[in-house]
Amino acid sequence: MTETASKLIVVVLDGLRYDAARKYLGYMEHLVEQGQLSCYKVQSELPSLSRPLYEVLLTGTPVSKNGITANHIVRLSREQSVFHLAVAANLRTAAAAYHWVSELYSSAPFHPVADRHQHNVLKPIQHGSFYFEDHYPDSHVFADAEFLRAAYDPHFLYIHTMNIDDAGHRYGGESKEYEVAVRRVDGLLATLLPEWMEQGYTVLVTADHGMNANGCHGGVTPAERHIPLYTFGEQVLSPEQEIQALPQLRLAPLMCHCLGLQPSAAMTTEGLPPFVPVVPGQEENAKMMKLNSLA
């Protein structure tokens, strides 16, 4: 690892359906109009539930393989996540996320007092701030993440918010309250994304699942499965991939690509450029090879 290694911020907006993102994330859509962001439709894996999809997002493995089949399965992941791969490559990792993420990649079960803040460079998530109430304000989650970014300078920063999902369960995925929660997140991203962009981060903004009008998810309907993926940084997906929904299994290897990591053997590399290993002292050559492979 060198100080010129790539840096990635992944933002997961829990419960954000694709159509709501395209209608209510005004700042993000402004960047799409200006050609600074791309937005893709992603189809989530099944079941379209949170804990199983946290594992899908970070390991690129389906539920039938990873065994995280439902929200009540509380144990550490048995797969190689992006966190594991990053630490193995001597990259720094951090997360400001719901406590289920800690239970998958740090320690399980979660103890609210002891596990709220975690710092252990030997674990997959080396620096973590974990919350345990669904109504914990999204503004606080982003503030937690910014503290971790400033204090520990992670190469891989994972940010996961819950207020959109909470509003959806309480009032439905087509309610005023759900819309307001989405619009509030847009304001938070409008505050932070310009700084991240200026500092050269690759940024991915996505969701785990959607939300139907009755405040439910877990099933197969488009409202429950179709979610957005906003990308900022080097071009990582071809324009024709905007036409149809991308499989959610591609997001973990996409994160690896953005970090310059070899995906795990369990991850698909379909649709991604060839992996280009970075040799110390030859970072610029590797970057040019990656860009040429995308041309």
Side-chain angles (χ1 to χ4, degrees):
M1 184 271 292
T2 72
E3 289 307 310
T4 58
S6 299
K7 291 185 178 181
L8 172 66
I9 295 175
V10 173
V11 180
V12 177
L13 305 175
D14 203 296
L16 177 60
R17 46 195 276 178
Y18 176 79
D19 58 352
R22 302 312 303 262
K23 287 191 292 187
Y24 306 136
L25 292 180
Y27 173 69
M28 300 293 286
E29 289 297 312
H30 161 70
L31 295 179
V32 172
E33 284 189 356
Q34 294 296 310
Q36 297 184 54
L37 285 181
S38 297
C39 185
Y40 305 89
K41 181 186 292 184
V42 173
Q43 179 161 291
S44 80
E45 282 288 293
L46 291 172
S48 52
L49 295 169
S50 290
R51 197 188 299 256
L53 296 183
Y54 300 167
E55 177 80 335
V56 168
L57 282 167
L58 283 158
T59 70
T61 59
V63 164
S64 57
K65 181 182 187 301
N66 63 49
I68 305 297
T69 57
N71 283 341
H72 64 266
I73 306 298
V74 180
R75 64 163 172 80
L76 288 172
S77 171
R78 296 169 184 162
E79 305 295 326
Q80 286 292 298
S81 72
V82 181
F83 290 118
H84 290 87
L85 297 171
V87 171
N90 293 321
L91 301 184
R92 294 181 295 274
T93 65
Y98 195 57
H99 69 286
W100 289 2
V101 175
S102 172
E103 289 179 326
L104 283 167
Y105 309 111
S106 187
S107 62
F110 181 84
H111 298 285
V113 175
D115 296 338
R116 172 77 171 93
H117 300 288
Q118 301 179 36
H119 302 282
N120 186 336
V121 297
L122 300 179
K123 288 193 174 184
I125 302 177
Q126 295 175 323
H127 305 284
S129 292
F130 300 103
Y131 60 98
F132 44 89
E133 294 173 335
D134 293 15
H135 59 276
Y136 184 73
D138 288 353
S139 58
H140 291 34
V141 179
F142 280 102
D144 292 340
E146 279 296 279
F147 169 78
L148 293 172
R149 189 174 71 87
Y152 301 103
D153 190 25
H155 298 91
F156 179 41
L157 175 60
Y158 192 78
I159 305 172
H160 169 246
T161 67
M162 282 294 287
N163 289 174
I164 295 172
D165 183 76
D166 188 44
H169 284 306
R170 291 173 184 266
Y171 306 104
E174 297 175 6
S175 65
K176 174 184 176 181
E177 291 82 1
Y178 182 85
E179 175 184 335
V180 168
V182 178
R183 292 183 184 272
R184 283 177 177 162
V185 164
D186 188 60
L188 295 169
L189 290 169
T191 302
L192 295 170
L193 194 54
E195 182 176 354
W196 298 344
M197 293 160 66
E198 183 177 345
Q199 295 191 22
Y201 287 89
T202 297
V203 181
L204 305 177
V205 179
T206 189
D208 50 349
H209 54 73
M211 183 74 62
N212 72 14
N214 295 324
C216 298
H217 57 85
V220 302
T221 66
E224 296 169 83
R225 295 190 74 182
H226 287 172
I227 56 174
L229 170 64
Y230 291 91
T231 67
F232 171 82
E234 64 179 72
Q235 181 184 346
V236 290
L237 295 169
S238 59
E240 59 266 22
Q241 289 176 305
E242 297 185 36
I243 299 173
Q244 57 187 357
L246 293 169
Q248 195 175 35
L249 291 172
R250 291 195 187 175
L251 269 62
L254 175 60
M255 295 177 203
C256 290
H257 171 78
C258 293
L259 286 165
L261 300 173
Q262 174 72 58
S264 75
M267 295 179 185
T268 177
T269 56
E270 181 182 355
L272 291 177
F275 172 68
V276 179
V278 177
V279 178
Q282 298 184 19
E283 291 82 7
E284 286 302 316
N285 290 340
K287 182 176 181 181
M288 290 304 301
M289 290 173 66
K290 287 172 68 177
L291 292 176
N292 290 336
S293 72
L294 290 162

